[in-house]
Amino acid sequence: MYNPQKYYDSLELDSVLQLLANEASMSSAKESAMLLRPFDSLENVINELEKTDEAYILSAKYSTPSFGNPVNPSSLITRAEVGGILNMGELIAISESLRIIRNVKAWRENISEAAVIKLEDLFTLLIPNKFLEDSINTSVKSPEEMYDGASPALSDIRRRIRKQSAVIKEKLDSIVKHNSRSKYLQEAIVTQRDGRYVVPVKSEYKSEVPGIVHDMSSTGSTIFIEPMAVVEANNEIRVLQSAEREEIERILAELSSRVSDFAENIKISFAALTELNLIFAKANLAYKMKATLPKLNSSGRIVLKNARHPLIDKNKVVPISLTLGTDYDTLVITGPNTGGKTVTLKTVGLLTLMAMCGLLVPCDDGSELSFFERILVDIGDEQSIEQSLSTFSSHLVNLKVIIEESSHPSLVLLDELGGGTDPVEGAALAKAVMIFLSQNGAKTISTTHYPELKSYAIDTSGVENASCEFDVKTLRPTYRLLIGVPGKSNAFAISRRLGIPEEIVSMADSFIDEDERQLDRVTEVLEKARQQAEEEKRSAEKLRFEAQKLAEDARKALSDAKDKKEAILEKAKNDASYIVDNARYKSNALLSELDDIKKRFNAENAAELYGRAKKSANAVLDEVERTSDPVTKREKDNYVLPRPLVVGDTILVTDIEKQGTVEQINKDGKKVLVAVGGLKTWTDIGNLRLCDVKKQNAEPKSRRVTGVASRAERDVKYEFDMRGMTVDEGLMELDRYIDGAVLAGIPSVTIIHGKGTGALRKAVHAFLKTNKNIVTFRLGVFGEGESGVTIAEIRS
């Protein structure tokens, strides 16, 4: 008989559900997590996965809402509905549930309308009831106490009790402080017994203090007496206390009735709150597992990319990649014991179950899983002493049920199919079972050591070999799954490495028949070819990356040179424009001054005006000359001219590293007019070097050559800020930045795109999905920049 729970236990689904329960804060959500089972249709599975994915995105953008751990009020509400009166502690529990419902609803209302689609129906079911919440909170102070202001009557009763208590204490204080009576008292204090005020009297003086005896100390030395003077007052307090209890009971009944009035809404809201807490727990678990949303189908197609078993330490688990239901429907996995064959079976089965329960699965983007009506599993040793079943018989019992149920769309996982009996018969039986399951349309993965099944997989269409890699040199499995390559048990190699005598191993080797030897040789050749192909692929990939990097560096260098050239030309154009404008201004000013001089010119002032005009003209020309001089002073390097310069000398103008000729030297010998090409300019003599005409054709002065920085010299930041860029510009710069991060060995980077309209963020995410250097990415969480940044993990 089909028992799905048995198969869930084999795949350890409950262990994953326990991890899920640990992420939920509400006890009711924890219970729901442990009861979670695969949904019954592809449509429901897709719907639940989309809810989880939406919660994942919401948590990343806005953080997870606070659910707390309210008591499930359903049973309390039901009691109130049938007329029961809830106590103060129970009313506080209902108030706490209403508070959390209100807060989660407010969280929803504070985020974007477009952000919530799949979960909107659940948020709509949250119905806050501030009226009932406040009614309880303003009445009930604690599980044992009610506020005075819960009702006017209660306030009045308690006021009268306090007044009467004060009168009694005053009378008793006068008794205990009376000098003539103090000798009768054990202590000069007022206390209570059974709610009545009394004084402690020495037993030998009990007749001296008239009143009612209420208690005696354990030694009998003290009698607690209620003096007659306060008996009536104490009686009045007892009457008031009775009235207080009745009023409290009336208030509790009234509050319970209000709870009953809103019973249905509270139940619906709490159920929605529980489901939301469970969904956000799924999102939190997905974040911890680095899980993704798989694509779902109902055709039996499975495509896993770097899938990881969720119960193995994430720092030790080796990812697997496989396909099923595409080119082949049956996968035969071979290889040594403890090599990872069973883990592969469990990974495929457990991830399928997780997806069907609405959980994101730990694998890379682009993975695909199928909805199956049946997941049928035979894993492990189920020997039963009580039923007198051997291991082989137990497997046969499981196989019988699996064969019967495989007519439904099924995923069948078989560990050591045909094991535990005669190898020849076991191999034949295993082959027959796989043929039958294939004809029934089941998708099957089976592990085996039988060489006959390796040959069957090689010769049969729709059946594929796979193996778990094993390093014979270290005698350790690598746990890598290799599709298309049959595995070897490596028993002889392991035996030799562990010290089994060579003559025994050689004798055992001689017993292997030639057909099996031939298969092993083919397997070995295939394995060597695969390893060589992988090595060549890695080398080609490395060369491709290097070529891309060199091409990118060349493009960047060309672009930088072009930008630098344009900047220099722009600056030269601006400087020239300034020089022209300044010269025009100065010349106009000079012409105006000459016109003025001309008007005032006569024989008497001719010499004076001529001198002033000449001085003004020279000043203007000097200013224009200084402004137009493109040569700047170079830092001193202690060079000394070997001799004074003379007109006609060939010199080097160091600032522009150009040769020229001396045209003129001013009187103080500090300024020199040089001709460089067709340009003449004045410059400091310290900026000139005397050239040896004989060496003019020698090699030019060496220059520093810049090139591509090595990986060690690179200074790549861990953050890339795209704010202010257009989408096209930003993506181009981001592509360059990621290449630099890869070569710099940076494990993860933060891409700052801002929140804005979200267009830049969407473009970045679309780009990252297609970038081979990116393993995974996510939006930032609180403290990282939230939706304004994206955290990307770089492929190492």
Side-chain angles (χ1 to χ4, degrees), residues 465-539:
N465 269 306
S467 62
C468 290
E469 191 178 52
F470 189 86
D471 190 338
V472 179
K473 295 180 180 178
T474 62
L475 295 181
R476 292 181 180 274
T478 66
Y479 302 108
R480 292 181 59 207
L481 183 69
L482 308 174
I483 304 296
V485 180
K488 295 175 62 179
S489 296
N490 294 299
F492 295 158
I494 295 173
S495 298
R496 288 188 174 95
R497 290 296 298 270
L498 292 179
I500 300 297
E502 178 61 32
E503 58 267 27
I504 296 178
V505 178
S506 298
M507 185 184 301
D509 188 32
S510 68
F511 296 152
I512 303 297
D513 62 44
E514 187 57 33
D515 290 340
E516 190 163 340
R517 243 182 246 282
Q518 181 63 26
L519 179 60
D520 282 345
R521 282 196 289 268
V522 171
T523 301
E524 189 173 347
V525 169
L526 287 173
E527 176 62 12
K528 287 182 179 178
R530 181 195 65 79
Q531 292 178 355
Q532 183 178 356
E534 283 196 354
E535 183 61 34
E536 290 176 353
K537 181 181 177 182
R538 283 192 293 268
S539 298

Side-chain angles (χ1 to χ4, degrees), residues 108-354:
R108 164 63 189 96
E109 292 171 351
N110 287 333
I111 64 178
S112 169
E113 288 290 331
V116 183
I117 300 173
K118 290 294 180 179
L119 298 178
E120 187 59 51
D121 289 345
L122 287 173
F123 279 112
T124 302
L125 293 176
L126 297 178
I127 307 171
N129 193 331
K130 195 72 165 59
F131 166 73
L132 179 56
E133 186 185 341
D134 288 344
S135 296
I136 295 172
N137 291 340
T138 56
S139 299
V140 183
K141 185 176 183 180
S142 72
E144 294 81 25
E145 187 179 359
M146 187 167 282
Y147 285 113
D148 292 354
S151 74
L154 182 62
S155 178
D156 181 62
I157 291 169
R158 287 183 172 175
R159 180 185 58 77
R160 289 164 61 191
I161 289 174
R162 288 191 293 271
K163 181 179 179 181
Q164 199 69 12
S165 297
V167 171
I168 292 172
K169 287 182 179 180
E170 185 178 349
K171 289 182 179 180
L172 291 178
D173 283 344
S174 67
I175 292 173
V176 299
K177 293 176 182 177
H178 198 284
N179 291 333
S180 63
R181 295 179 179 175
S182 60
K183 63 180 180 179
Y184 303 142
L185 301 180
Q186 194 72 258
E187 292 181 86
I189 62 170
V190 176
T191 184
Q192 280 189 330
R193 286 295 184 274
D194 296 329
R196 302 180 76 88
Y197 288 99
V198 298
V199 292
V201 179
K202 296 176 181 178
S203 58
E204 60 267 27
Y205 296 116
K206 65 179 179 179
S207 59
E208 302 296 329
V209 181
I212 301 171
V213 177
H214 283 279
D215 199 3
M216 178 185 293
S217 67
S218 58
T219 61
S221 61
T222 304
I223 305 295
F224 294 94
I225 297 176
E226 178 186 8
M228 293 303 297
V230 298
V231 169
E232 285 301 320
N234 268 330
N235 287 340
E236 180 64 22
I237 286 180
R238 296 300 286 268
V239 172
L240 290 172
Q241 287 174 339
S242 177
E244 178 188 28
R245 286 192 296 272
E246 289 178 1
E247 180 60 16
I248 290 174
E249 194 73 9
R250 186 196 67 77
I251 294 171
L252 291 176
E254 182 179 334
L255 291 174
S256 299
S257 177
R258 290 180 186 175
V259 170
S260 176
D261 293 340
F262 300 107
E264 193 62 27
N265 283 347
I266 299 174
K267 287 181 180 179
I268 291 172
S269 295
F270 192 84
L273 189 72
T274 298
E275 188 170 352
L276 282 168
N277 187 219
L278 178 61
I279 292 171
F280 276 94
K282 292 179 181 179
N284 290 341
L285 182 62
Y287 177 78
K288 289 186 175 180
M289 289 183 174
K290 295 185 178 180
T292 61
L293 176 67
K295 184 178 179 182
L296 263 291
N297 65 77
S298 59
S299 63
R301 185 171 61 257
I302 295 175
V303 180
L304 290 178
K305 298 179 179 180
N306 290 323
R308 304 170 295 280
H309 195 289
L311 301 179
I312 300 177
D313 186 339
K314 62 183 179 182
N315 296 318
K316 297 178 180 178
V317 65
V318 177
I320 64 167
S321 298
L322 63 80
T323 59
L324 187 68
T326 53
D327 297 331
Y328 49 88
D329 295 332
T330 302
L331 187 64
V332 179
I333 304 177
T334 51
N337 291 326
T338 72
K341 300 191 301 296
T342 304
V343 171
T344 298
L345 289 183
K346 289 187 173 183
T347 300
V348 176
L350 185 54
L351 265 56
T352 301
L353 284 178
M354 286 174 63

Side-chain angles (χ1 to χ4, degrees), residues 737-751:
Y737 171 73
I738 289 175
D739 285 344
V742 170
L743 292 174
I746 295 177
S748 64
V749 296
T750 299
I751 303 166

